[in-house]
Amino acid sequence: MLEVVKWAASISGMVAALAVAADLGRRVTGWGFVLFLASSAAWITAGLVDEESALSTQNAVLFVINAVGVYRYLIRKAPGVSATAPAAAPRPPAASG
């Protein structure tokens, strides 16, 4: 069972890194941080079971850092976006000629 946890942690961490590095927008990056949270939780579990305190401690810190990423990208409004601001008007077509 521990091997399954370790593989889940490893694969979810790789997919999360790909999602964040791809920079496909706030939502995808935010879900990448959610995957990082899952990966960190799995590594914490594996570290505790294997009695590897360095692994557990590192991933506990990473868990907090990734929680900040989830907050920034999925919970907090994007900087410069106001809930009361009207939507931007479409641009008029460029004049030809």
Side-chain angles (χ1 to χ4, degrees), residues 8-22:
S10 184
I11 291 168
S12 63
M14 289 183 271
V15 172
L18 179 63
V20 171

Side-chain angles (χ1 to χ4, degrees), residues 43-89:
W43 280 122
I44 291 167
T45 302
L48 291 173
V49 170
D50 278 347
E51 297 180 1
E52 295 199 32
S53 58
L55 180 64
S56 295
T57 302
Q58 173 190 4
N59 279 281
V61 172
L62 290 173
F63 188 91
V64 172
I65 293 168
N66 293 324
V68 171
V70 169
Y71 172 75
R72 289 191 67 219
Y73 286 90
L74 291 180
I75 298 170
R76 185 180 77 167
K77 297 281 185 215
V81 175
S82 171
T84 59

Side-chain angles (χ1 to χ4, degrees), residues 18-55:
L18 179 63
V20 171
D23 194 21
L24 297 173
R26 291 184 63 81
R27 198 135 194 94
V28 173
T29 300
W31 282 104
F33 279 111
V34 170
L35 280 174
F36 272 137
L37 284 176
S39 177
S40 291
W43 280 122
I44 291 167
T45 302
L48 291 173
V49 170
D50 278 347
E51 297 180 1
E52 295 199 32
S53 58
L55 180 64

